[in-house]
Amino acid sequence: MAARPPLVALKDVRLQDGPRPLFDGVDIAIEPRTRAALVGRNGAGKSTLMKLVMGLAEPDAGERSVQAGVRFAYVPQEPVITGGTLLDYAISGDAQPWTAEAWLTTFGLDPAKPAVNLSGGEIRRAALAKAFAEEPDLLLLDEPTNHLDILAIELLENELISARFAVLVVSHDRAFLNRTTQAVHWLEGRRVRTLNKGFAAFDEWAAKVQEEEAQSLQRLTKTIERETETFYRSITARRTRNEGRARSLDALRADRAERLKDVPRELNLGVDSGVTSGKLVAELKGVTKTFGDRTVIKPFTTRVIRGDRLAIVGPNGAGKTTLVKILLGELQPDSGTVRLGANLDPVYLDQSREGLRSDMTLWDALTPGGGDSILVRGVSKHVAAYAKDFLFQEGQLRQPISTLSGGERNRLLLARALAKPANMLVLDEPTNDLDMDTLDKLEELLESYDGTLILVSHDRDFVDRLATSTIAMNGRGDIVETPGGWTDFIRQNPGFLRPGANPRPQDKEAARRAEAADEARRVEKAEPSDRAPAKKPAKMSFKDTHRLKELEGLLATLPADIARHEATLADPDLYTRDRKAFDRATANADRARALLAAAEEEWLELEAKREALGG
């Protein structure tokens, strides 16, 4: 079959951006009805390349060819919604009112809704509805899954798969790209390489390309070494001053220098879990929460153990942040009990990027107390050196945060969060705007982290790679907990997240099996398996029951004792005024912490035993 002529093509495109070119000979062709991914690192120029494809920007050199009458639609990374209503916005391009209204409804929006005070998810869905309503020949999407919940992402996937137009999409969401794409354009080293397969084949292909380039660079280095030795050792070369050979050697060195400039810098992530927390991190029993007439959490019980990697998933507005705040002790439930473990030192990365004002500089954000250094996991480090670890240039330090891209702002949040020792990391949508290389580095870091991780995310691949347990909230107050990640949850609880759907009998049975499996996991963590008795008693002994009550009393009073001793030690003049009182308070605080940790360990064992025996 003859190849179809492309809708739009760029040939040998070059574009200067500062001292070095952003693009240096880019070739890319978009064929009709082909869904293609455009991938590359943050800062590689993906958004700029999209604008060149659309004709919204002009290259310094090269050609752009486009078929006559081709219609484009574009959803930028940060859409701006204008107009009085969402319908006004959706018809501000070339869309017909009835088409725009239908697409707004498809994406779950009221066409009459005012186009102000919208959530991030509503802004994204409105921009997508407008683009679909314009019935383009080529739809360009820049990070379309940002701020969308899982249900909206799946809706977008289905609409793209059934669409009759071509798509060029920039996204970090591997699951989304695996399902929707048929080709991949890889922007790396100022050029574009194309794979005529879906994204599922990209990693293996890219690894081979990188290996071949590394070998080519190694061969070039060896050639330079050999030519240099020949040039300087050859008497003939020195006597005749072989200018041709000298120019050849200079050209080889220049080639190598340019190639090395294109070798991307690596993100340098690190995390310190700090002081070990107690074995119990948090326990919720029969917790409920309502806001007005809306039930967010129906009676829910769970236990988080030190080292757990807990994912919380569900639609936007389902109450995920509410549950996190209850787990952290920042919000009280309407009913039920919450028990928090000892020595918890959490760090919370909030998706709203709270604390980052647009007028503050990157330097200000990293050093809120002033100065030119930052305490990184207990060690003082110059702010420029630490910023470099997160791929920021020194020239960016004094620029306002408003000039940073979405990915750069998220890297800045990570830099601030990971500077502090934390035995509990709470990450709320940490993958937004991050490129895949940064995501891979973050995943590697979290896989080796020995603290407790609570992850709120719509990125199904990210959850699958990291979570040991998944809590799903459907927005109607129902919550299920399943061992494993997203794939495990959806397999055992089909239909749970569907709007207005009641769990079917098989769903309830799957949830029951998942709960039983999860309880077995918890008991295994809390109680050593090699101590299983030969014959299980029918109920707890009087001694164990009495000891459990004693331990609950200790767990209630010891935190107050620790706080009292720490308040004494907070006196800055105590050490010089009364050394004995200082030593006594230090010893008492250490003793109370040790007692609390031991009591928690014993309580967990007895509580697991009680639950296993049914009370």
Side-chain angles (χ1 to χ4, degrees):
M1 182 182 295
R4 294 173 292 182
L7 296 170
V8 60
L10 302 180
K11 177 77 171 171
D12 198 26
V13 162
R14 301 170 190 274
L15 182 67
Q16 198 76 16
D17 182 26
R20 300 190 69 234
L22 184 62
F23 304 132
D24 191 9
V26 161
D27 296 327
I28 187 172
I30 313 298
E31 295 183 355
R33 299 186 64 176
T34 298
R35 299 185 303 273
L38 174 59
V39 300
R41 295 172 180 258
N42 286 143
K46 299 185 297 295
S47 297
T48 302
L49 184 57
M50 278 191 153
K51 291 176 181 177
L52 289 173
V53 167
M54 289 189 66
L56 298 178
E58 288 292 329
D60 295 329
E63 299 177 1
R64 173 181 180 266
S65 59
V66 58
Q67 284 190 29
V70 168
R71 299 186 306 276
F72 296 91
Y74 175 47
V75 178
Q77 194 171 132
E78 296 185 3
V80 176
I81 309 301
T82 58
T85 66
L86 292 182
L87 182 58
D88 293 333
Y89 165 71
I91 62 175
S92 61
D94 297 327
Q96 297 295 329
W98 54 87
T99 307
E101 186 171 350
W103 279 110
L104 286 167
T105 303
T106 296
F107 280 100
L109 297 170
D110 179 2
K113 184 179 177 68
V116 293
N117 300 323
L118 301 175
S119 68
E122 289 173 326
I123 290 172
R124 181 70 54 185
R125 284 182 283 138
L128 288 167
K130 176 179 181 293
F132 274 79
E134 290 171 0
E135 298 181 341
D137 299 299
L138 173 57
L139 173 62
L140 298 99
L141 304 173
D142 196 348
E143 296 291 359
T145 64
N146 278 359
H147 307 295
L148 293 185
D149 60 34
I150 289 173
L151 295 177
I153 292 172
E154 290 183 340
L155 170 64
L156 176 59
E157 288 173 348
N158 292 333
E159 295 297 343
L160 290 177
I161 290 169
S162 61
R164 300 177 63 83
F165 47 71
V167 179
L168 182 64
V169 56
V170 172
S171 178
H172 65 271
D173 189 325
R174 291 176 181 272
F176 173 78
L177 293 178
N178 283 342
R179 188 165 179 227
T180 59
T181 60
Q182 302 159 313
V184 183
H185 302 291
W186 182 24
L187 179 57
E188 181 77 1
R190 298 171 290 147
R191 287 182 170 85
V192 170
R193 298 172 180 84
T194 297
L195 171 68
N196 291 314
K197 294 181 180 179
F199 183 79
F202 172 75
D203 284 338
E204 183 179 356
W205 172 73
K208 289 180 179 177
V209 171
Q210 289 174 326
E211 183 180 356
E212 289 170 0
E213 292 189 343
Q215 290 174 354
S216 175
L217 182 60
Q218 187 177 26
R219 288 193 298 269
L220 177 60
T221 301
K222 291 292 185 183
T223 301
I224 292 172
E225 291 173 355
R226 187 173 58 252
E227 289 295 312
T228 301
E229 182 179 6
T230 302
F231 183 79
Y232 285 105
R233 287 190 177 183
S234 168
I235 296 175
T236 303
R238 287 202 302 271
R239 284 178 178 173
T240 61
R241 298 187 180 276
N242 190 328
E243 296 297 335
R245 193 160 202 167
R247 284 195 298 271
S248 176
L249 184 56
D250 287 343
L252 289 172
R253 288 171 173 166
D255 184 17
R256 182 177 183 275
E258 280 300 310
R259 291 198 197 186
L260 288 174
K261 286 179 183 177
D262 287 331
V263 174
R265 291 184 296 133
E266 292 289 341
L267 196 70
N268 185 16
L269 294 181
V271 64
D272 180 1
S273 57
V275 178
T276 302
S277 71
K279 189 168 185 179
L280 173 72
V281 171
E283 184 187 50
L284 276 56
K285 283 188 174 182
V287 163
T288 67
K289 190 67 182 176
T290 60
F291 292 101
D293 296 332
R294 181 170 172 251
T295 299
V296 177
I297 301 175
K298 294 177 182 177
F300 177 61
T301 298
T302 191
R303 185 184 300 148
V304 182
I305 307 299
R306 182 180 66 231
D308 274 356
R309 297 175 190 169
L310 176 64
I312 302 177
V313 302
N316 288 340
K320 300 185 294 294
T321 301
T322 298
L323 180 59
V324 167
K325 289 182 176 180
I326 290 175
L327 280 167
L328 292 175
E330 296 179 359
L331 184 66
Q332 293 299 312
D334 295 335
S335 62
T337 61
V338 178
R339 185 193 299 276
L340 299 179
N343 300 326
L344 286 182
D345 190 11
V347 164
Y348 189 7
L349 192 152
D350 183 7
Q351 67 166 320
S352 66
R353 296 171 177 154
E354 188 176 343
L356 291 185
R357 299 192 322 273
S358 60
D359 61 334
M360 70 193 311
T361 66
L362 194 150
W363 187 298
D364 296 333
L366 289 176
T367 58
D372 60 1
S373 62
I374 180 172
L375 199 62
V376 180
R377 299 180 288 278
V379 178
S380 181
K381 194 168 185 177
H382 193 275
V383 63
Y386 187 57
K388 190 175 180 180
D389 289 343
F390 287 82
L391 307 185
F392 292 108
Q393 303 287 346
E394 190 168 351
Q396 293 179 281
L397 290 172
R398 296 299 186 183
Q399 293 178 356
I401 287 175
S402 59
T403 65
L404 300 180
S405 69
E408 287 171 331
R409 273 175 271 176
N410 230 14
R411 288 208 309 271
L412 175 57
L413 282 176
L414 284 173
R416 297 209 312 176
L418 297 180
K420 310 167 190 173
N423 54 31
M424 183 179 185
L425 284 177
V426 184
L427 306 180
D428 194 349
E429 292 297 344
T431 67
N432 278 351
D433 300 311
L434 294 182
D435 61 42
M436 290 175 190
D437 295 296
T438 302
L439 275 179
D440 288 342
K441 285 289 183 183
L442 182 58
E443 285 171 4
E444 290 174 10
L445 177 77
L446 297 177
E447 282 173 354
S448 62
Y449 176 60
D450 58 2
T452 303
L453 174 66
I454 296 180
L455 175 67
V456 180
S457 182
H458 299 306
D459 190 321
R460 294 155 293 178
D461 182 77
F462 196 69
V463 169
D464 269 341
R465 293 181 184 219
L466 289 173
T468 58
S469 179
T470 299
I471 290 177
M473 310 177 71
N474 65 4
R476 302 182 293 278
D478 303 310
I479 304 178
V480 297
E481 184 169 4
T482 308
W486 168 261
T487 302
D488 299 299
F489 153 71
I490 208 68
R491 184 177 61 247
Q492 297 185 44
N493 301 275
F496 177 77
L497 296 179
R498 287 200 310 272
N502 292 317
R504 295 172 296 180
Q506 59 265 39
D507 298 339
K508 294 179 180 178
E509 176 61 22
R512 187 197 65 76
R513 290 196 304 271
E515 185 177 352
D518 195 29
E519 183 59 33
R521 177 182 67 86
R522 292 180 189 145
V523 172
E524 183 180 355
K525 282 185 178 182
E527 185 175 28
S529 58
D530 59 355
R531 288 169 49 187
K535 183 178 179 182
K536 187 172 77 172
K539 62 179 181 178
M540 284 184 70
S541 67
F542 173 80
K543 180 181 177 181
D544 285 344
T545 302
H546 181 67
R547 179 56 178 164
L548 193 59
K549 290 182 179 179
E550 286 183 338
L551 290 169
E552 288 176 346
L554 285 172
L555 293 175
T557 59
L558 282 171
D561 291 343
I562 294 171
R564 188 173 66 255
H565 298 316
E566 288 178 342
T568 302
L569 291 169
D571 181 355
D573 301 322
L574 179 62
Y575 183 84
T576 53
R577 186 178 69 249
D578 190 343
R579 173 65 185 274
K580 289 184 178 179
F582 177 85
D583 291 342
R584 188 166 54 251
T586 301
N588 288 338
D590 290 343
R591 189 180 304 110
R593 291 191 193 99
L595 282 172
L596 181 59
E600 278 189 339
E601 296 277 352
E602 189 178 355
W603 179 85
L604 278 169
E605 292 184 5
L606 289 175
E607 180 67 7
K609 184 176 180 180
R610 182 189 67 78
E611 291 181 0
L613 295 172

